[in-house]
Amino acid sequence: MSYFSSDFKLGILGGGQLGKMLLQETRKWDIQTKVMDASDEAPCKIACNTFVIGDLLDFDAVYNFAKDVDVLTIEIENVNLDALEKLEDEGKKVYPPTRALRIIQNKAKQKLFYVDNGIPTADFHRFAYKSEIEDTIANGGLRFPFIWKAARFGYDGQGVKVVRKLEDLEGLPTDECIAEDMIPFKNELAVIVSRSVSGEIKTYPVVEMEFHPEANQVEYVICPARIEAHVAQKAQEIALKVSEKIQHVGLLAVEMFQTQDDKILVNEVAPRPHNSGHYSIEASYTNQFEQHLRAILDLPLGSTDSKVAGIMVNLVGAEGYTGEVVYEHMEDILKLEGVTPHLYGKRQTRPFRKMGHVTIVDQDIVKAREIAQTVKETIKVISK
């Protein structure tokens, strides 16, 4: 099939910033795109050939949207899987496949999958309702502190909370959830694995993630991770095992903990381009969005090597500001060498909302990290 400058149509479920960055690659290759999102202000709206407003969790909306596309992909995993399954049954190419999404979409199922497949992960309890947690604590089956995670619909620090006392459970959703042992880790790492339709596989270098202590969001992604070679190799091997067992097509971002004694535990995975791979736009020979396209269209996968060291700084809404966004000191960061801002096209800011990111590249990772710190301290995402 000819994908380029032709009638071929790629459907994308989700119109957020990941989709917007994916569309930069489809435009580069002149591939027709059709995007669906619930918001009329979705970042993707300005960059696709056809934009459809629709609920990603609604069966009919997803099914009808995909009828006239040749290949269907996602930029967020919270989509109606029954509709995807029906489309697959009717011969539609859906990547990643629904069976992979069924494992990943529910965090409780995802954790059980790791246990069943011998993939190292933190110990956990699964609960149908949040109210069961208190009984388990009372009976001595669960101890503080632990990590509460909603089984579904968590993202960007939402649906995750450190629970140190009973009162911390107040106000949390009451539905299915997991309580995970808190790991005293040395580092949080991630590996992105790309897998094409015909099974070609490549991994990106291990990256290191520094998190914001309150928001539970990544503040910095550092590539390459500042870890020993044997630890990096172990992380790559485990990421490949997860990829092989899930049998995804496209990208799989595998987030991991490096424990104090250098064990690697899988935290969770995302079956799409991911925050931990944004550095690749400036720093890699093949960025993660182009690689996702190559994988789902069964084209040869590109080189995942880095040209230079890359650090990504997330731009999130400052605390105390809600409303029409203003980016302060943009000119100051643009004076710095190797600095590239990416703004996602969201007009409204609120505390900790992801509004963009900045990539810093340099031959010297130490220098890149220093510049990243300056960027973080300089630019402010506020409101009018």
Side-chain angles (χ1 to χ4, degrees), residues 75-365:
E75 66 103 56
I76 185 168
E77 50 271 36
N78 293 327
V79 298
N80 189 296
L81 299 186
D82 292 336
L84 295 191
E85 204 159 60
K86 183 171 172 59
L87 288 161
E88 279 179 326
D89 289 345
E90 292 172 1
K92 189 70 69 183
K93 293 176 178 176
V94 178
Y95 303 124
T98 311
R99 66 174 187 280
L101 289 174
R102 285 208 186 278
I103 296 164
I104 294 166
Q105 195 183 69
N106 181 301
K107 286 204 170 81
K109 280 186 186 169
Q110 195 183 129
K111 290 285 284 187
L112 290 167
F113 179 82
Y114 299 148
V115 173
D116 291 345
N117 285 280
I119 293 161
T121 191
D123 288 341
F124 70 101
H125 294 75
R126 180 186 189 182
F127 299 102
Y129 303 99
K130 187 187 73 173
S131 55
E132 296 173 2
I133 296 179
E134 293 183 21
D135 298 339
T136 308
I137 291 167
N139 296 330
L142 183 61
R143 292 179 183 170
F144 299 113
F146 59 84
I147 310 288
W148 168 90
K149 289 183 180 179
R152 296 193 66 190
F153 308 128
Y155 70 98
D156 283 357
Q158 307 296 313
V160 179
K161 187 173 183 182
V162 178
V163 178
R164 301 182 190 279
K165 54 188 187 301
L166 268 182
E167 291 75 25
D168 291 339
L169 291 167
E170 289 172 13
L172 293 178
T174 58
D175 304 334
E176 186 185 9
C177 57
I178 59 173
E180 197 173 77
D181 284 3
M182 205 163 159
I183 302 297
F185 55 82
K186 198 189 290 187
N187 277 310
E188 293 202 50
L189 309 172
V191 175
I192 290 177
V193 185
S194 49
R195 175 188 288 267
S196 74
V197 177
S198 57
E200 186 186 1
I201 298 167
K202 289 195 177 180
T203 60
Y204 280 83
V206 184
V207 301
E208 174 188 348
M209 300 183 289
E210 292 184 22
F211 276 72
H212 185 286
E214 283 95 53
N216 193 42
Q217 281 181 333
V218 177
E219 276 194 304
Y220 301 97
V221 171
I222 299 165
C223 182
R226 299 165 297 182
I227 55 176
E228 293 179 27
H230 71 95
V231 177
Q233 186 179 344
K234 199 184 300 181
Q236 295 266 12
E237 287 168 358
I238 288 171
L240 281 166
K241 182 176 181 181
V242 176
S243 166
E244 178 199 337
K245 296 294 184 184
I246 289 180
Q247 288 287 303
H248 66 101
V249 171
L251 297 189
L252 187 74
V254 185
E255 295 183 59
M256 298 174 264
F257 298 121
Q258 176 190 359
T259 65
Q260 297 296 340
D261 57 353
D262 290 342
K263 289 193 175 75
I264 297 289
L265 302 177
V266 173
N267 178 19
E268 56 190 49
V269 299
R272 50 171 169 75
H274 190 253
N275 196 254
S276 63
H278 289 348
Y279 78 91
S280 66
I281 298 173
E282 277 74 37
S284 303
Y285 285 101
T286 310
N287 73 60
Q288 65 163 343
F289 299 97
E290 180 183 321
Q291 193 79 310
H292 182 72
L293 268 187
R294 286 172 177 250
I296 62 173
L297 300 181
D298 209 18
L299 299 166
L301 296 182
S303 168
T304 54
D305 291 346
S306 297
K307 302 180 232 183
V308 285
I311 296 185
M312 184 214 67
V313 178
N314 268 329
L315 294 183
V316 300
E319 290 184 82
Y321 292 93
T322 298
E324 203 171 326
V325 68
V326 174
Y327 295 95
E328 277 195 335
H329 309 301
M330 183 72 98
E331 297 87 347
D332 296 322
I333 69 162
L334 286 169
K335 289 174 189 169
L336 303 170
E337 276 192 28
V339 169
T340 306
H342 294 255
L343 305 182
Y344 296 158
K346 299 173 182 178
R347 294 300 177 91
Q348 298 292 313
T349 184
R350 58 178 181 267
F352 301 118
R353 187 184 192 195
K354 275 191 194 166
M355 301 298 289
H357 73 265
V358 180
T359 313
I360 298 91
V361 293
D362 199 281
Q363 294 296 340
D364 181 351
I365 190 110

